[in-house]
Amino acid sequence: MADIFDQASDYEAKDREAAISAAAGRATWSGSSPDIIDGVPCCAECGEPLPEARLKALPGVGLCVECAE
């Protein structure tokens, strides 16, 4: 009986990771990559520098929060 619960728990964890990964992929790429201006990653739409915290949370993000919304 414990094996069934272990398997269900494993499936749930894999589904959760896949959902998180998919959501992060949508948020990360948003159809563009960052522009690099003078070595600084900037929003591909407005050109403003991307905050360090955003780059750490979503590596490769191409849009600032305002433009992504």
Side-chain angles (χ1 to χ4, degrees), residues 34-37 40-50 62-64 67:
D35 289 338
I36 306 297
I37 301 172
V40 177
C42 296
C43 177
E45 282 194 29
C46 70
E48 289 295 316
L50 295 169
L63 301 174
C64 66
C67 291

Side-chain angles (χ1 to χ4, degrees), residues 57-69:
L58 298 169
V61 69
L63 301 174
C64 66
V65 173
E66 292 81 16
C67 291
E69 291 175 343

Side-chain angles (χ1 to χ4, degrees), residues 17-62:
E17 288 301 317
I20 290 169
S21 212
R26 285 191 301 272
T28 298
W29 296 108
S30 301
S32 62
S33 58
D35 289 338
I36 306 297
I37 301 172
D38 294 328
V40 177
C42 296
C43 177
E45 282 194 29
C46 70
E48 289 295 316
L50 295 169
E52 187 67 29
R54 183 161 176 78
L55 293 169
K56 284 182 181 180
L58 298 169
V61 69

Side-chain angles (χ1 to χ4, degrees), residues 1-12:
M1 193 65 139
D3 287 339
I4 292 171
F5 290 117
D6 289 341
Q7 286 178 338
S9 184
D10 288 344
Y11 287 131
E12 181 184 2

